[in-house]
Amino acid sequence: MASATTARDIADPEDMVCVLDRAGLDALVQVLRARGRTVVGPTQRDGVIVLAELESAAELPYGWGVELEGGHYRVVRREDEAAFAHSAGPQSWKNFLLPQRVRQWTADRGPDGELTVRPERHDPASYAFLGVRPCDLRAIAVQDRVLTGGRHKDDAYRARRSGAFLIAMECTEPGATCFCVSMGTGPAAGPGYDIAMTEVLDDAGHRFLARAGTPEGAEVLAELPRRTADSATRTAATEAVETAAGRMGRTMPEVDLRALLAETLDAERWNDVASRCLTCGNCTMACPTCFCTTTEDVTDLTGDHAERWSRWESCYDLDFSHLQGGPVRASGRSRYRQWMTHKLGTWYDQFGSSGCVGCGRCIVWCPVAIDITEEAHALHQEARDKDSPS
């Protein structure tokens, strides 16, 4: 039964901590929809856990988990009914905040030959993202820094992002390719959420410890059927997250990755990875922080109507670095090295942080199972061998 507490009674929204059961989780979806938000969350569809619009919490992937490895992804049945016990899937929230194709403007030529150009209107969206992993929460913050904080702002991204309501779900079931601990991005939720939750499923029942991070988050929780957060649930949630931190499937070497990448540009390891890399760009498409785009212009058959579209681009494409005379990075070796050194190293120089959040998607969705953590360890080992006396 909900108490009479409202957001106006709470001096600090973070003081709003409560426990929701499955009915409360469904009420959360309904309250957000009643507020005019499009609720997006995970659901099991066609043998994969995807992010899609939800009409109710019943569509969440209760009882489904995932089996992950390099180049391998499989949805598997669990022995319990956990809703969020799965690792990052093929999509990230980038698919909604920075869609693959966005129209920028249209142009029409009238009968008198006069040209009219109409910029595309980017109306603010009203998303509610349910189940944002801590690594993805950081990824959203990284993209915010790139696309709303620099000199070259993306108005379409800002329109979607400004109205987004984020419900983080702390990680209690890391996958075999996860390494968020190495990147400092999880498994506990960092800042940036409106509501953070931890799923608890034990002999005391299936429930969610929820806490507000913003005044709107506190308002939403105040509308839900909930109960006071008891010490047993708090302890179980804390222990589940702490245990997850010790069960990461991958790690990065415990060194300054920025310095490591800068000092190993001529390493032999780049030749090894180049012999395997297909330069397909899957890692950049699955990565929640990769943001590169290009533009394409299209016309109709009459030539009187034209449109300009922005679409995702990959630094693995041969034409990505094309200048007069040809591409700057013509070899697969140079293109893989560019991606990895930017992600783990020179991103700091541009944006003040790493571009990697440890979600492991680039490992899972690489068709030849190239592993960024394995490559970092190999570069570190080669550098150590080079520096050690023979």
Side-chain angles (χ1 to χ4, degrees), residues 7-88:
R8 295 185 183 87
D9 300 322
I10 302 169
D12 185 341
E14 294 186 5
D15 290 341
M16 170 62 96
V17 182
C18 60
V19 174
L20 308 178
D21 59 14
R22 286 179 59 161
L25 189 62
D26 190 56
L28 172 63
V29 174
Q30 300 311 317
V31 164
L32 291 169
R33 285 171 56 84
R35 286 172 167 246
R37 294 190 176 276
T38 299
V39 180
V40 178
T43 188
Q44 201 273 115
R45 181 181 300 168
D46 299 327
V48 67
I49 293 178
V50 299
L51 299 175
E53 182 176 352
L54 304 178
E55 294 186 0
S56 78
E59 298 174 77
L60 291 167
Y62 287 105
W64 289 101
V66 293
E67 179 184 279
L68 304 176
E69 256 307 334
H72 175 84
Y73 176 97
R74 178 175 295 171
V75 174
V76 295
R77 261 293 179 188
R78 294 176 54 84
E79 296 181 355
D80 57 32
E81 286 297 306
F84 298 96
H86 54 271
S87 301

Coordinates of all heavy atoms in Angstrom, one line a residue, residues 7-88:
A7 N 6.2 14.0 -3.4 CA 7.5 14.6 -3.7 C 7.7 15.9 -3.0 O 8.8 16.3 -2.6 CB 7.7 14.8 -5.2
R8 N 6.6 16.6 -2.7 CA 6.7 17.9 -2.1 C 7.1 17.8 -0.6 O 7.5 18.7 0.0 CB 5.3 18.6 -2.2 CG 4.9 19.0 -3.6 CD 3.6 19.8 -3.6 NE 3.2 20.1 -4.9 CZ 2.4 19.3 -5.7 NH1 2.0 18.2 -5.1 NH2 2.0 19.6 -6.9
D9 N 6.9 16.6 0.0 CA 7.2 16.3 1.3 C 8.7 16.0 1.5 O 9.2 15.9 2.6 CB 6.4 15.2 1.9 CG 4.9 15.5 1.9 OD1 4.6 16.6 2.1 OD2 4.2 14.5 1.6
I10 N 9.4 15.8 0.4 CA 10.8 15.3 0.5 C 11.8 16.5 0.2 O 11.8 17.1 -0.9 CB 11.0 14.2 -0.6 CG1 10.0 13.1 -0.3 CG2 12.4 13.7 -0.5 CD1 9.9 12.1 -1.4
A11 N 12.6 16.8 1.2 CA 13.6 17.9 1.0 C 14.6 17.5 -0.1 O 15.0 18.4 -0.9 CB 14.3 18.2 2.3
D12 N 15.1 16.3 -0.1 CA 16.0 15.9 -1.1 C 15.4 14.7 -1.8 O 15.0 13.7 -1.1 CB 17.3 15.4 -0.3 CG 18.4 15.0 -1.3 OD1 18.1 14.7 -2.5 OD2 19.6 15.0 -0.9
P13 N 15.3 14.7 -3.1 CA 14.7 13.6 -3.9 C 15.4 12.3 -3.6 O 14.7 11.2 -3.7 CB 14.8 14.0 -5.3 CG 15.8 15.1 -5.4 CD 15.7 15.8 -4.1
E14 N 16.7 12.3 -3.2 CA 17.4 11.1 -3.0 C 16.9 10.4 -1.7 O 17.3 9.3 -1.4 CB 18.9 11.3 -3.0 CG 19.4 11.7 -4.4 CD 20.9 11.8 -4.4 OE1 21.6 11.4 -3.4 OE2 21.4 12.2 -5.5
D15 N 16.1 11.2 -0.9 CA 15.6 10.6 0.4 C 14.4 9.6 0.0 O 14.0 8.8 0.9 CB 15.0 11.7 1.3 CG 16.2 12.5 1.9 OD1 17.3 12.0 1.9 OD2 15.9 13.6 2.3
M16 N 13.9 9.7 -1.2 CA 12.8 8.8 -1.6 C 13.4 7.4 -2.0 O 13.9 7.2 -3.1 CB 12.0 9.4 -2.8 CG 11.0 8.4 -3.4 SD 9.7 7.9 -2.3 CE 8.4 9.1 -2.7
V17 N 13.3 6.5 -1.0 CA 13.8 5.1 -1.3 C 12.6 4.2 -0.9 O 12.1 4.4 0.2 CB 15.1 4.8 -0.5 CG1 15.5 3.4 -0.8 CG2 16.2 5.8 -0.7
C18 N 12.3 3.3 -1.7 CA 11.1 2.4 -1.5 C 11.3 1.1 -2.1 O 12.3 0.9 -2.9 CB 9.8 3.1 -1.9 SG 9.8 3.4 -3.7
V19 N 10.4 0.2 -1.9 CA 10.4 -1.1 -2.5 C 9.1 -1.3 -3.4 O 8.0 -1.0 -2.9 CB 10.5 -2.2 -1.5 CG1 10.3 -3.6 -2.1 CG2 11.8 -2.1 -0.7
L20 N 9.3 -1.7 -4.6 CA 8.2 -2.0 -5.5 C 8.2 -3.5 -5.8 O 9.2 -4.2 -5.9 CB 8.4 -1.3 -6.9 CG 8.7 0.2 -6.9 CD1 8.9 0.6 -8.3 CD2 7.6 0.9 -6.2
D21 N 7.0 -4.1 -5.9 CA 6.8 -5.4 -6.3 C 6.5 -5.4 -7.8 O 6.6 -4.4 -8.5 CB 5.8 -6.2 -5.5 CG 4.4 -5.5 -5.6 OD1 4.2 -4.6 -6.5 OD2 3.5 -5.9 -4.8
R22 N 6.2 -6.6 -8.4 CA 5.9 -6.6 -9.8 C 4.7 -5.8 -10.2 O 4.7 -5.2 -11.3 CB 5.7 -8.1 -10.3 CG 7.1 -8.8 -10.3 CD 6.9 -10.3 -10.7 NE 6.3 -10.5 -12.0 CZ 6.5 -11.6 -12.7 NH1 7.1 -12.6 -12.3 NH2 5.9 -11.7 -13.9
A23 N 3.7 -5.7 -9.3 CA 2.6 -4.8 -9.6 C 3.0 -3.4 -9.6 O 2.6 -2.6 -10.4 CB 1.5 -5.0 -8.6
G24 N 4.0 -3.0 -8.7 CA 4.5 -1.7 -8.7 C 5.3 -1.3 -9.9 O 5.3 -0.2 -10.4
L25 N 6.0 -2.3 -10.5 CA 6.8 -2.1 -11.7 C 5.8 -1.8 -12.9 O 6.1 -1.0 -13.7 CB 7.6 -3.3 -12.0 CG 8.7 -3.2 -13.1 CD1 9.7 -2.1 -12.8 CD2 9.4 -4.5 -13.4
D26 N 4.7 -2.6 -12.9 CA 3.7 -2.3 -14.0 C 3.1 -1.0 -13.8 O 2.9 -0.2 -14.8 CB 2.7 -3.4 -14.0 CG 1.8 -3.3 -15.2 OD1 2.4 -3.4 -16.4 OD2 0.6 -3.2 -15.1
A27 N 2.8 -0.6 -12.5 CA 2.3 0.7 -12.3 C 3.2 1.8 -12.7 O 2.8 2.9 -13.2 CB 1.9 0.9 -10.8
L28 N 4.5 1.6 -12.6 CA 5.5 2.5 -13.0 C 5.4 2.8 -14.5 O 5.4 4.0 -15.0 CB 6.9 2.0 -12.7 CG 8.1 2.8 -13.3 CD1 8.1 4.2 -12.8 CD2 9.4 2.1 -13.0
V29 N 5.2 1.7 -15.3 CA 5.1 1.9 -16.7 C 3.8 2.7 -17.0 O 3.8 3.6 -17.9 CB 5.0 0.5 -17.4 CG1 4.7 0.7 -18.9 CG2 6.4 -0.2 -17.3
Q30 N 2.7 2.4 -16.3 CA 1.4 3.0 -16.6 C 1.5 4.5 -16.2 O 0.9 5.4 -16.9 CB 0.3 2.3 -15.9 CG 0.1 0.8 -16.3 CD 0.1 0.6 -17.8 OE1 -0.5 1.4 -18.6 NE2 0.8 -0.4 -18.3
V31 N 2.1 4.8 -15.1 CA 2.2 6.2 -14.7 C 3.0 7.0 -15.7 O 2.7 8.1 -16.1 CB 2.9 6.3 -13.3 CG1 3.4 7.7 -13.0 CG2 1.9 5.8 -12.2
L32 N 4.1 6.5 -16.2 CA 4.9 7.2 -17.2 C 4.2 7.3 -18.5 O 4.2 8.4 -19.1 CB 6.2 6.4 -17.4 CG 7.2 6.4 -16.2 CD1 8.3 5.4 -16.5 CD2 7.8 7.8 -16.0
R33 N 3.4 6.3 -18.9 CA 2.6 6.5 -20.1 C 1.5 7.5 -19.9 O 1.2 8.3 -20.8 CB 2.0 5.1 -20.5 CG 3.0 4.1 -21.1 CD 2.4 2.7 -21.3 NE 1.2 2.7 -22.0 CZ 1.1 2.7 -23.4 NH1 2.3 2.7 -24.1 NH2 0.0 2.6 -24.0
A34 N 0.9 7.6 -18.7 CA -0.1 8.6 -18.5 C 0.5 10.0 -18.5 O -0.3 10.9 -18.7 CB -0.8 8.3 -17.1
R35 N 1.7 10.1 -18.2 CA 2.4 11.4 -18.3 C 2.8 11.7 -19.7 O 3.5 12.7 -19.9 CB 3.7 11.4 -17.4 CG 3.3 11.5 -15.9 CD 4.6 11.3 -15.1 NE 4.3 11.6 -13.7 CZ 4.9 12.6 -13.0 NH1 5.8 13.4 -13.7 NH2 4.6 12.9 -11.8
G36 N 2.4 10.9 -20.7 CA 2.7 11.2 -22.1 C 4.0 10.7 -22.6 O 4.4 11.1 -23.7
R37 N 4.7 9.9 -21.8 CA 6.0 9.4 -22.2 C 5.9 8.1 -23.0 O 5.0 7.2 -22.7 CB 6.9 9.2 -21.0 CG 7.2 10.5 -20.3 CD 8.3 10.3 -19.3 NE 8.7 11.5 -18.6 CZ 9.6 12.3 -19.1 NH1 10.2 12.0 -20.3 NH2 9.9 13.5 -18.5
T38 N 6.8 7.9 -24.0 CA 6.9 6.6 -24.7 C 7.9 5.8 -23.8 O 9.1 6.1 -23.7 CB 7.5 6.8 -26.1 OG1 6.6 7.7 -26.8 CG2 7.7 5.5 -26.8
V39 N 7.4 4.7 -23.3 CA 8.3 3.9 -22.4 C 9.0 2.8 -23.3 O 8.4 2.1 -24.1 CB 7.4 3.1 -21.3 CG1 8.3 2.3 -20.5 CG2 6.7 4.2 -20.5
V40 N 10.3 2.8 -23.2 CA 11.1 1.9 -23.9 C 11.9 1.0 -23.0 O 12.5 1.5 -22.0 CB 12.1 2.6 -24.9 CG1 13.0 1.6 -25.6 CG2 11.3 3.5 -25.8
G41 N 11.9 -0.3 -23.2 CA 12.6 -1.2 -22.3 C 12.9 -2.5 -23.0 O 12.6 -2.7 -24.2
P42 N 13.6 -3.4 -22.3 CA 13.9 -4.7 -22.9 C 12.7 -5.6 -23.0 O 11.8 -5.6 -22.2 CB 15.0 -5.2 -21.9 CG 14.6 -4.6 -20.6 CD 14.1 -3.3 -20.9
T43 N 12.7 -6.4 -24.1 CA 11.7 -7.4 -24.3 C 12.3 -8.5 -25.1 O 13.2 -8.3 -25.9 CB 10.4 -6.8 -24.9 OG1 9.4 -7.8 -24.9 CG2 10.7 -6.3 -26.3
Q44 N 11.8 -9.7 -25.0 CA 12.3 -10.9 -25.7 C 11.5 -11.0 -27.0 O 10.3 -11.1 -27.0 CB 12.2 -12.1 -24.9 CG 13.1 -13.2 -25.3 CD 12.5 -14.1 -26.4 OE1 13.0 -14.1 -27.5 NE2 11.5 -14.8 -26.1
R45 N 12.2 -11.0 -28.1 CA 11.5 -11.0 -29.4 C 12.5 -11.7 -30.4 O 13.6 -11.3 -30.6 CB 11.2 -9.6 -29.9 CG 10.5 -9.5 -31.2 CD 10.2 -8.0 -31.5 NE 9.4 -7.4 -30.5 CZ 9.2 -6.1 -30.5 NH1 9.8 -5.3 -31.3 NH2 8.4 -5.5 -29.5
D46 N 12.0 -12.7 -31.2 CA 12.7 -13.3 -32.3 C 14.1 -13.8 -31.8 O 15.1 -13.7 -32.5 CB 12.9 -12.3 -33.4 CG 11.6 -11.9 -34.0 OD1 10.6 -12.7 -34.0 OD2 11.5 -10.7 -34.5
G47 N 14.1 -14.4 -30.6 CA 15.3 -15.0 -30.1 C 16.4 -14.0 -29.7 O 17.6 -14.4 -29.6
V48 N 16.0 -12.8 -29.3 CA 17.0 -11.8 -28.9 C 16.3 -10.9 -27.9 O 15.0 -10.7 -28.0 CB 17.6 -11.1 -30.1 CG1 16.6 -10.2 -30.8 CG2 18.8 -10.2 -29.6
I49 N 17.0 -10.3 -27.0 CA 16.4 -9.3 -26.1 C 16.7 -7.9 -26.7 O 17.8 -7.5 -26.8 CB 17.0 -9.4 -24.7 CG1 16.5 -10.7 -24.1 CG2 16.5 -8.2 -23.8 CD1 17.0 -11.0 -22.7
V50 N 15.6 -7.3 -27.1 CA 15.7 -6.0 -27.8 C 15.1 -4.9 -27.0 O 14.4 -5.1 -26.0 CB 15.0 -6.1 -29.2 CG1 15.6 -7.1 -30.1 CG2 13.5 -6.3 -29.0
L51 N 15.4 -3.7 -27.4 CA 14.8 -2.5 -26.8 C 13.7 -2.1 -27.6 O 13.8 -1.8 -28.8 CB 15.8 -1.4 -26.6 CG 17.0 -1.7 -25.7 CD1 18.0 -0.5 -25.8 CD2 16.6 -2.0 -24.3
A52 N 12.5 -1.9 -27.0 CA 11.3 -1.6 -27.8 C 10.3 -0.9 -26.9 O 10.4 -0.9 -25.7 CB 10.7 -2.8 -28.4
E53 N 9.3 -0.3 -27.6 CA 8.2 0.4 -26.8 C 7.5 -0.6 -26.0 O 7.1 -1.7 -26.5 CB 7.3 1.2 -27.7 CG 6.2 2.0 -27.0 CD 5.4 2.8 -27.9 OE1 5.7 3.0 -29.1 OE2 4.4 3.4 -27.3
L54 N 7.2 -0.3 -24.8 CA 6.4 -1.2 -23.9 C 5.1 -0.6 -23.6 O 5.0 0.6 -23.2 CB 7.2 -1.4 -22.6 CG 8.6 -2.0 -22.7 CD1 9.2 -2.1 -21.3 CD2 8.6 -3.4 -23.4
E55 N 4.0 -1.4 -23.6 CA 2.7 -1.0 -23.1 C 2.5 -1.4 -21.7 O 1.6 -0.8 -21.0 CB 1.6 -1.5 -24.1 CG 1.7 -1.0 -25.5 CD 0.5 -1.4 -26.3 OE1 -0.3 -2.2 -25.8 OE2 0.5 -1.0 -27.5
S56 N 3.2 -2.4 -21.2 CA 3.1 -2.8 -19.8 C 4.3 -3.5 -19.4 O 5.1 -4.0 -20.3 CB 1.9 -3.7 -19.6 OG 2.1 -5.0 -20.1
A57 N 4.5 -3.7 -18.1 CA 5.7 -4.4 -17.6 C 5.6 -5.8 -17.9 O 6.7 -6.5 -17.8 CB 5.9 -4.1 -16.1
A58 N 4.5 -6.3 -18.3 CA 4.3 -7.8 -18.7 C 5.2 -8.1 -19.9 O 5.5 -9.3 -20.1 CB 2.9 -8.1 -18.9
E59 N 5.6 -7.1 -20.7 CA 6.4 -7.4 -21.9 C 7.8 -7.5 -21.6 O 8.6 -7.8 -22.4 CB 6.1 -6.3 -22.9 CG 4.7 -6.2 -23.4 CD 4.5 -5.0 -24.3 OE1 4.9 -5.0 -25.5 OE2 4.0 -4.0 -23.8
L60 N 8.2 -7.2 -20.3 CA 9.7 -7.4 -19.9 C 10.1 -8.9 -20.0 O 9.2 -9.7 -19.9 CB 9.9 -6.9 -18.5 CG 9.7 -5.3 -18.3 CD1 9.7 -5.0 -16.9 CD2 10.9 -4.6 -19.0
P61 N 11.4 -9.1 -20.2 CA 11.8 -10.5 -20.4 C 11.9 -11.3 -19.1 O 13.0 -11.8 -18.8 CB 13.2 -10.3 -21.1 CG 13.7 -9.1 -20.6 CD 12.5 -8.2 -20.4
Y62 N 10.8 -11.5 -18.4 CA 10.8 -12.3 -17.2 C 11.3 -13.7 -17.5 O 10.8 -14.4 -18.4 CB 9.4 -12.3 -16.6 CG 9.0 -11.0 -15.9 CD1 8.0 -10.2 -16.6 CD2 9.5 -10.6 -14.7 CE1 7.6 -9.0 -16.0 CE2 9.1 -9.4 -14.1 CZ 8.1 -8.6 -14.8 OH 7.7 -7.5 -14.2
G63 N 12.3 -14.1 -16.7 CA 12.7 -15.5 -16.9 C 13.7 -15.8 -18.0 O 14.1 -16.9 -18.3
W64 N 14.2 -14.7 -18.7 CA 15.1 -14.9 -19.8 C 16.5 -14.3 -19.4 O 16.6 -13.2 -18.8 CB 14.6 -14.2 -21.0 CG 13.4 -14.9 -21.7 CD1 12.1 -14.5 -21.6 CD2 13.4 -16.0 -22.5 NE1 11.3 -15.4 -22.2 CE2 12.1 -16.3 -22.8 CE3 14.5 -16.9 -22.9 CZ2 11.8 -17.4 -23.6 CZ3 14.1 -18.0 -23.7 CH2 12.8 -18.2 -24.0
G65 N 17.5 -15.0 -19.7 CA 18.9 -14.5 -19.6 C 19.6 -14.6 -20.9 O 19.0 -15.0 -22.0
V66 N 20.9 -14.3 -20.9 CA 21.7 -14.4 -22.2 C 23.0 -15.2 -21.9 O 23.5 -15.1 -20.8 CB 21.9 -13.1 -22.8 CG1 20.7 -12.4 -23.3 CG2 22.7 -12.2 -21.8
E67 N 23.4 -15.8 -23.0 CA 24.7 -16.5 -23.0 C 25.6 -15.8 -23.9 O 25.3 -15.6 -25.1 CB 24.5 -18.0 -23.4 CG 25.8 -18.8 -23.5 CD 25.4 -20.2 -24.0 OE1 25.0 -21.0 -23.2 OE2 25.6 -20.4 -25.2
L68 N 26.7 -15.2 -23.4 CA 27.6 -14.3 -24.2 C 29.0 -14.9 -24.3 O 29.5 -15.4 -23.4 CB 27.6 -12.9 -23.6 CG 26.3 -12.2 -23.4 CD1 26.6 -10.9 -22.7 CD2 25.6 -11.9 -24.7
E69 N 29.6 -14.6 -25.5 CA 31.0 -14.8 -25.7 C 31.4 -14.0 -26.9 O 30.6 -13.4 -27.5 CB 31.4 -16.3 -25.8 CG 32.0 -16.9 -24.6 CD 33.3 -16.1 -24.0 OE1 33.9 -15.4 -24.8 OE2 33.5 -16.2 -22.8
G70 N 32.7 -14.0 -27.2 CA 33.1 -13.3 -28.4 C 32.5 -13.9 -29.6 O 32.6 -15.1 -29.9
G71 N 31.8 -13.1 -30.4 CA 31.1 -13.5 -31.6 C 29.9 -14.5 -31.3 O 29.4 -15.2 -32.2
H72 N 29.4 -14.5 -30.1 CA 28.3 -15.4 -29.7 C 27.3 -14.8 -28.8 O 27.7 -14.1 -27.8 CB 28.9 -16.6 -29.0 CG 27.9 -17.6 -28.5 ND1 27.4 -18.6 -29.3 CD2 27.4 -17.8 -27.3 CE1 26.5 -19.3 -28.5 NE2 26.5 -18.8 -27.3
Y73 N 26.0 -14.9 -29.1 CA 24.9 -14.4 -28.3 C 23.8 -15.4 -28.4 O 23.4 -15.8 -29.5 CB 24.5 -13.0 -28.9 CG 23.3 -12.4 -28.2 CD1 23.5 -11.5 -27.1 CD2 22.0 -12.8 -28.5 CE1 22.4 -10.9 -26.5 CE2 20.9 -12.2 -27.9 CZ 21.1 -11.3 -26.9 OH 20.0 -10.7 -26.2
R74 N 23.2 -15.7 -27.3 CA 22.1 -16.6 -27.3 C 21.2 -16.3 -26.1 O 21.7 -16.1 -24.9 CB 22.6 -18.1 -27.2 CG 21.4 -19.1 -27.1 CD 21.9 -20.5 -27.2 NE 22.6 -20.8 -28.5 CZ 23.3 -21.9 -28.7 NH1 23.5 -22.8 -27.8 NH2 23.8 -22.1 -29.9
V75 N 19.9 -16.3 -26.3 CA 18.9 -16.1 -25.2 C 18.6 -17.4 -24.6 O 18.4 -18.4 -25.3 CB 17.6 -15.4 -25.8 CG1 16.6 -15.4 -24.7 CG2 17.9 -14.0 -26.3
V76 N 18.7 -17.5 -23.3 CA 18.5 -18.8 -22.6 C 17.4 -18.6 -21.5 O 17.3 -17.5 -20.9 CB 19.8 -19.3 -22.0 CG1 20.8 -19.7 -23.1 CG2 20.4 -18.3 -21.0
R77 N 16.7 -19.7 -21.2 CA 15.7 -19.7 -20.1 C 16.5 -19.8 -18.8 O 17.4 -20.5 -18.6 CB 14.8 -20.8 -20.2 CG 13.4 -20.5 -20.9 CD 12.6 -19.6 -20.0 NE 11.4 -19.2 -20.5 CZ 10.6 -18.3 -20.0 NH1 10.9 -17.7 -18.9 NH2 9.4 -18.0 -20.6
R78 N 16.0 -18.9 -17.8 CA 16.5 -19.0 -16.5 C 15.7 -19.9 -15.6 O 14.5 -20.2 -16.0 CB 16.6 -17.6 -15.9 CG 17.6 -16.6 -16.6 CD 17.5 -15.2 -16.0 NE 17.6 -15.2 -14.6 CZ 18.8 -15.2 -14.0 NH1 19.9 -15.2 -14.7 NH2 18.9 -15.1 -12.6
E79 N 16.2 -20.2 -14.4 CA 15.4 -21.0 -13.5 C 14.5 -20.1 -12.6 O 13.7 -20.6 -11.8 CB 16.4 -21.8 -12.6 CG 17.2 -22.8 -13.4 CD 18.1 -23.7 -12.5 OE1 18.1 -23.3 -11.3 OE2 18.7 -24.6 -13.0
D80 N 14.7 -18.8 -12.7 CA 13.8 -17.9 -11.9 C 13.1 -17.0 -12.9 O 13.2 -17.1 -14.1 CB 14.6 -17.1 -10.9 CG 15.8 -16.3 -11.6 OD1 15.6 -15.8 -12.7 OD2 16.8 -16.1 -10.9
E81 N 12.4 -16.0 -12.3 CA 11.6 -15.1 -13.2 C 12.2 -13.6 -13.1 O 11.4 -12.7 -13.2 CB 10.1 -15.0 -12.7 CG 9.3 -16.3 -13.0 CD 9.2 -16.4 -14.5 OE1 8.7 -15.5 -15.2 OE2 9.6 -17.5 -15.0
A82 N 13.5 -13.5 -13.0 CA 14.1 -12.2 -13.0 C 13.8 -11.5 -14.4 O 13.8 -12.1 -15.4 CB 15.6 -12.4 -12.8
A83 N 13.6 -10.2 -14.3 CA 13.2 -9.4 -15.5 C 14.4 -8.8 -16.1 O 14.5 -8.5 -17.3 CB 12.2 -8.4 -15.1
F84 N 15.5 -8.5 -15.3 CA 16.6 -7.7 -15.8 C 17.9 -8.5 -15.6 O 19.0 -7.9 -15.5 CB 16.7 -6.4 -15.1 CG 15.5 -5.5 -15.4 CD1 14.4 -5.5 -14.5 CD2 15.4 -4.7 -16.5 CE1 13.3 -4.7 -14.7 CE2 14.3 -3.9 -16.8 CZ 13.2 -3.9 -15.8
A85 N 17.9 -9.8 -15.6 CA 19.1 -10.6 -15.4 C 19.7 -11.0 -16.8 O 20.0 -12.1 -17.1 CB 18.8 -11.9 -14.6
H86 N 19.9 -10.0 -17.6 CA 20.5 -10.2 -18.9 C 21.5 -9.1 -19.1 O 21.3 -8.0 -18.6 CB 19.5 -10.2 -20.0 CG 18.6 -9.0 -20.0 ND1 17.4 -8.9 -19.3 CD2 18.8 -7.8 -20.6 CE1 16.9 -7.7 -19.4 NE2 17.7 -7.0 -20.2
S87 N 22.6 -9.4 -19.9 CA 23.6 -8.3 -20.2 C 23.2 -7.6 -21.4 O 22.1 -7.8 -22.0 CB 24.9 -9.0 -20.4 OG 25.3 -9.7 -19.2
A88 N 24.0 -6.6 -21.7 CA 23.7 -5.7 -22.8 C 23.4 -6.4 -24.1 O 24.2 -7.4 -24.5 CB 24.9 -4.7 -23.0

